[in-house]
C-alpha cells in the first residue's frame, strides 16, 4: 500500500493498493473517490457491542471496508473540516488514545475500539465525552486535524494544560486528567469554561489549533431565529 496526502485547506489521503486483497476501512460516508477494481462492504466492524461503543465515541454505527480486487486500485478519503490529515504508524507508536471524531481511515490490521477514561470525572466533564477512541494493532491510521497540527513531546512528569477541544491524540504513556479552572471570576468571565485537560508525560501529544465545536457554536449563535 502507498499513500499521498493531497491538498492544503481541505486535505484528502489517496491510497494506492499494490496487490489484491489489501484494504482500508472508514466510517460511513468517509470515501471521497475511487478507481475501478475496489469492492465495498458495509458492516458492524467488531460486532454489535463494539459498534455501539464506536457510536458513543463519535463514529458511525456501520463501518465501510474497501478491498482491492487488482493491483493499482486507488481510493481516497477526505477530511470533513479545514485542517490537516495526519498519518500515524500504529505499530511504531504502540497505539494512541484519540478524541472522538479524529479517526478518518485505517488499514485492516489497525483496531479501533473505545477506551474509558481512568477517572469518571474526566469523562463526565471533559467536554469530549466519557468514551475516547483506542487505536492499536499495526499498520497505518489517518487522523483528522482541525486547523493546524501542533506536536509536544512531554518529558516524564512534564505537564501541559489544554482546552479539551484542542486535544487530538496522545500516546498511551501520557496520563489524562481533567482539572477545574480555579477562581469564580475565571469560571464566569474567563471564556474558557469550567475545565481544562491536564496531560502528564512522558509521551507524544498531538494538539490542534481549532476547536471545531466551539467554532460551530459561534456560527449557530449568528443564525437568525424566528
Amino acid at each position: 500500500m502507498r499513500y499521498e496526502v493531497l491538498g492544503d485547506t481541505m486535505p484528502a489521503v489517496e491510497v494506492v493498493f499494490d496487490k489484491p486483497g489489501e484494504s482500508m476501512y472508514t466510517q460511513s460516508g468517509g470515501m471521497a473517490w475511487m478507481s475501478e477494481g475496489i469492492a465495498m462492504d458495509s458492516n458492524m466492524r467488531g460486532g454489535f457491542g463494539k459498534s455501539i461503543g464506536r457510536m458513543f465515541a463519535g463514529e458511525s454505527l456501520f463501518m465501510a471496508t474497501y478491498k482491492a480486487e487488482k493491483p493499482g486500485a486507488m481510493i481516497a478519503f477526505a477530511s470533513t473540516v479545514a485542517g490537516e490529515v495526519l498519518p500515524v504508524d500504529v505499530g511504531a507508536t504502540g497505539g494512541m488514545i484519540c478524541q472522538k471524531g479524529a479517526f478518518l481511515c485505517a488499514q485492516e490490521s489497525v483496531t479501533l475500539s473505545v477506551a474509558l477514561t481512568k477517572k469518571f470525572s474526566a469523562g463526565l466533564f471533559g467536554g469530549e465525552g466519557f468514551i475516547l477512541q483506542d487505536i492499536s494493532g499495526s499498520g497505518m491510521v489517518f487522523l483528522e486535524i482541525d486547523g493546524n497540527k501542533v506536536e509536544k513531546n512531554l518529558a516524564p512528569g512534564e505537564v501541559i494544560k489544554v482546552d479539551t477541544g484542542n486535544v487530538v491524540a496522545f500516546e498511551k504513556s501520557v496520563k489524562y486528567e481533567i482539572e477545574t479552572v480555579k477562581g469564580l471570576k475565571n469560571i464566569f468571565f474567563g471564556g474558557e469554561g469550567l475545565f481544562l485537560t491536564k496531560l502528564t508525560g512522558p509521551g507524544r501529544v498531538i494538539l490542534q489549533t481549532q476547536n471545531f465545536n466551539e467554532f460551530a457554536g459561534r456560527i449557530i449563535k449568528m443564525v437568525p431565529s424566528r
Side-chain angles (χ1 to χ4, degrees):
M1 186 201 86
R2 292 166 285 134
Y3 70 87
E4 182 181 5
V5 177
L6 307 173
D8 297 316
T9 305
M10 296 287 289
V13 56
E14 190 174 81
V15 175
V16 177
F17 297 116
D18 292 323
K19 55 186 179 181
E22 291 184 322
S23 60
M24 298 282 293
Y25 71 93
T26 184
Q27 60 179 322
S28 180
M31 191 276 295
W33 62 83
M34 63 181 177
S35 68
E36 292 185 327
I38 290 182
M40 174 184 174
D41 176 42
S42 296
N43 55 77
M44 288 187 178
R45 185 178 177 84
F48 181 76
K50 289 187 176 181
S51 299
I52 292 295
R54 282 198 309 267
M55 186 176 66
F56 282 110
E59 303 296 347
S60 57
L61 182 64
F62 285 86
M63 305 293 278
T65 299
Y66 297 89
K67 184 173 292 187
E69 297 179 321
K70 63 179 183 180
M74 175 273 296
I75 187 168
F77 306 91
S79 59
T80 54
V81 299
E84 301 181 31
V85 171
L86 175 66
V88 176
D89 185 341
V90 179
T93 63
M96 302 194 80
I97 303 296
C98 303
Q99 69 148 305
K100 63 180 182 180
F103 174 81
L104 177 60
C105 60
Q107 290 182 280
E108 281 270 61
S109 54
V110 174
T111 301
L112 177 67
S113 58
V114 297
L116 299 181
T117 56
K118 293 181 180 179
K119 290 190 176 181
F120 180 75
S121 60
L124 186 63
F125 301 115
E128 294 302 326
F130 184 62
I131 302 176
L132 300 172
Q133 296 184 119
D134 185 319
I135 297 176
S136 58
S138 61
M140 296 301 299
V141 62
F142 298 89
L143 304 179
E144 287 196 59
I145 308 289
D146 297 347
N148 296 114
K149 175 190 65 178
V150 176
E151 290 195 42
K152 302 287 185 181
N153 288 297
L154 302 182
E158 183 180 0
V159 172
I160 186 170
K161 298 177 183 180
V162 190
D163 186 298
T164 307
N166 292 95
V167 177
V168 177
F170 48 89
E171 292 180 336
K172 294 181 179 180
S173 57
V174 175
K175 184 180 178 182
Y176 170 80
E177 297 177 276
I178 293 300
E179 183 176 273
T180 306
V181 173
K182 295 179 174 62
L184 290 176
K185 288 192 296 183
N186 293 331
I187 291 173
F188 289 107
F189 305 114
E192 298 299 333
L194 294 175
F195 306 95
L196 291 174
T197 303
K198 179 181 177 181
L199 300 170
T200 305
R204 178 186 179 202
V205 173
I206 302 169
L207 309 176
Q208 57 190 15
T209 58
Q210 183 183 67
N211 181 336
F212 185 74
N213 290 334
E214 181 180 313
F215 173 74
R218 293 186 179 187
I219 296 297
I220 291 172
K221 290 179 182 179
M222 297 178 184
V223 177
S225 59
R226 295 182 178 178

